[in-house]
Amino acid sequence: MKFIEVKNYQQMSETAAEYIMKKVLDNPSITLGLATGGTPTGTYQNLIKDHQKNGTSYQHVTTFNLDEYIGLAGTDKNSYRYYMDENLFNHIDIKKANTFVPKGNGRNIEEECNRYEDLLAGHGGIDLQVLGIGSNGHIGFNEPGTSFQSKTHIVNLAPSTIEANARFFNRPEEVPTQAITMGISTIMKSKEILLLVSGESKRDAMYQLLHSELNENFPASVLKNHPCVTIIADEAAILDLKIPMLKE
Ligand code: GLP
């Protein structure tokens, strides 16, 4: 694991955006894996700024998102499809047809999971996967206890995840209780992973990530088995953590 320590959220967002931009410039037809949540919004804002200022093009880029709530249509403002359109896709020159998010409101969700897994494999997999981390160590929506062998599947969201995500909804009861998520093995097939961690609420998760053994009860620990992971974390997330062994 490569570790980049930054001062704050703003610096994490700038550093992550520069990292992604460079990859896009090196490989204009890159396949990106994208995350939602509060963590990557600043990164996306910086990608948009750069696109507007420097013209970095996404015309040949393909994206696959990690997850989607079950029961929400893509037009629902709390769906991850809507989030991606609003926070990134509508502001860059990417072709919408090349942006994939699982469909959370279809009739047959099992079938959708298999379709998404096959679609991703058919595209040759992900070159660079952007990840956030849940305070309970989830990646995508793979909650503690998820098999490391899992493919795209249906999950019941942990109460702590529902609580953490309630801030995006009008009322906590509106948070869906289930989601579709890429599985852990799906994520691990990515050629490269960029994990973004910011804020005090992620400090415990960061500690466990650095100090725990591989453990399905802490999903992010699987990243220790991946050959190419870069973590960008800010001071609030790593305060007092001993991480010299990870620094380059
Ligand atoms: C969410 C998403 C994850 C995200 C994580 C952290 O529920 N499904 O992809 O990385 O939880 O979210 P946040 O960045 O808002 O802390």
Side-chain angles (χ1 to χ4, degrees), residues 4 27 47 66 88 107 111 116 119 127 133 149 159-161 189 204 207 215 231 237 246:
I4 302 172
N27 176 9
L47 291 180
L66 282 166
L88 184 62
R107 276 219 215 116
E111 209 172 274
Y116 200 71
L119 190 68
D127 295 308
I133 186 170
Q149 308 308 320
S160 63
T161 301
K189 281 188 204 128
D204 283 356
Y207 180 88
N215 174 4
I231 303 174
L246 289 178

Side-chain angles (χ1 to χ4, degrees), residues 35-40 66-67 69 80 131-135 138-141 161 165 167-168 201-202:
T36 51
T39 307
L66 282 166
D67 44 21
Y69 288 117
Y80 286 163
L131 282 185
I133 186 170
S135 47
H138 73 232
I139 49 175
F141 264 137
T161 301
N165 287 359
R167 69 191 195 278
F168 297 113
S201 66
K202 300 294 168 65

Side-chain angles (χ1 to χ4, degrees), residues 119-214:
L119 190 68
L120 175 51
H123 271 79
I126 288 167
D127 295 308
L128 174 65
Q129 174 67 57
V130 179
L131 282 185
I133 186 170
S135 47
N136 63 1
H138 73 232
I139 49 175
F141 264 137
N142 293 286
E143 299 286 19
T146 306
S147 164
F148 284 171
Q149 308 308 320
S150 54
K151 295 183 173 179
T152 302
H153 64 288
I154 299 173
V155 289
N156 294 320
L157 299 177
S160 63
T161 301
I162 293 174
E163 200 181 308
N165 287 359
R167 69 191 195 278
F168 297 113
F169 291 77
N170 290 329
R171 288 178 302 133
E173 305 82 69
E174 286 176 17
V175 186
T177 54
Q178 289 190 308
I180 299 177
T181 184
M182 276 187 205
I184 293 191
S185 83
T186 323
I187 293 171
M188 288 293 280
K189 281 188 204 128
S190 312
K191 293 191 188 80
E192 187 177 353
I193 290 175
L194 180 65
L195 173 66
L196 308 180
V197 193
S198 170
E200 204 183 323
S201 66
K202 300 294 168 65
R203 201 177 291 164
D204 283 356
M206 192 68 206
Y207 180 88
Q208 285 206 56
L209 174 60
L210 298 178
H211 296 281
S212 72
E213 300 290 308
L214 286 187

Side-chain angles (χ1 to χ4, degrees), residues 5-247:
E5 183 181 334
V6 292
K7 233 187 147 27
N8 51 30
Y9 181 81
Q10 190 192 334
Q11 222 180 62
M12 181 196 73
S13 303
E14 286 165 6
T15 309
E18 272 161 29
Y19 195 100
I20 296 165
M21 276 177 244
K22 188 175 175 310
K23 297 286 173 183
V24 172
L25 291 172
D26 285 352
N27 176 9
S29 51
I30 193 169
T31 299
L32 296 174
L34 297 178
T36 51
T39 307
T41 53
T43 303
Y44 297 150
Q45 279 163 16
N46 279 288
L47 291 180
I48 293 167
K49 249 193 258 163
D50 161 74
H51 170 72
Q52 290 167 346
K53 196 167 152 225
N54 305 315
T56 303
S57 176
Y58 296 81
Q59 265 189 43
H60 303 291
V61 171
T62 300
T63 64
F64 281 86
N65 262 76
L66 282 166
D67 44 21
E68 178 62 283
Y69 288 117
I70 291 177
L72 300 191
T75 47
D76 189 302
K77 73 177 182 35
N78 284 308
S79 72
Y80 286 163
R81 158 54 73 183
Y82 190 91
Y83 169 108
M84 288 310 304
D85 287 349
E86 284 293 299
N87 284 289
L88 184 62
F89 300 150
N90 288 346
H91 311 284
I92 57 175
D93 62 345
I94 197 161
K95 296 186 179 109
K96 278 281 175 74
N98 293 343
T99 67
F100 299 99
V101 182
K103 289 189 176 57
N105 65 337
R107 276 219 215 116
N108 190 334
I109 302 288
E110 288 282 357
E111 209 172 274
E112 172 61 6
C113 293
N114 298 333
R115 183 194 73 90
Y116 200 71
E117 185 80 22
D118 292 347
L119 190 68
L120 175 51
H123 271 79
I126 288 167
D127 295 308
L128 174 65
Q129 174 67 57
V130 179
L131 282 185
I133 186 170
S135 47
N136 63 1
H138 73 232
I139 49 175
F141 264 137
N142 293 286
E143 299 286 19
T146 306
S147 164
F148 284 171
Q149 308 308 320
S150 54
K151 295 183 173 179
T152 302
H153 64 288
I154 299 173
V155 289
N156 294 320
L157 299 177
S160 63
T161 301
I162 293 174
E163 200 181 308
N165 287 359
R167 69 191 195 278
F168 297 113
F169 291 77
N170 290 329
R171 288 178 302 133
E173 305 82 69
E174 286 176 17
V175 186
T177 54
Q178 289 190 308
I180 299 177
T181 184
M182 276 187 205
I184 293 191
S185 83
T186 323
I187 293 171
M188 288 293 280
K189 281 188 204 128
S190 312
K191 293 191 188 80
E192 187 177 353
I193 290 175
L194 180 65
L195 173 66
L196 308 180
V197 193
S198 170
E200 204 183 323
S201 66
K202 300 294 168 65
R203 201 177 291 164
D204 283 356
M206 192 68 206
Y207 180 88
Q208 285 206 56
L209 174 60
L210 298 178
H211 296 281
S212 72
E213 300 290 308
L214 286 187
N215 174 4
E216 287 183 350
N217 286 320
F218 189 76
S221 65
V222 75
L223 299 176
K224 293 181 178 190
N225 264 352
H226 194 283
C228 192
V229 176
T230 299
I231 303 174
I232 305 178
D234 68 10
E235 277 176 11
I238 58 182
L239 193 75
D240 292 337
L241 296 183
K242 305 240 175 316
I243 44 171
M245 74 285 185
L246 289 178
K247 287 187 185 169

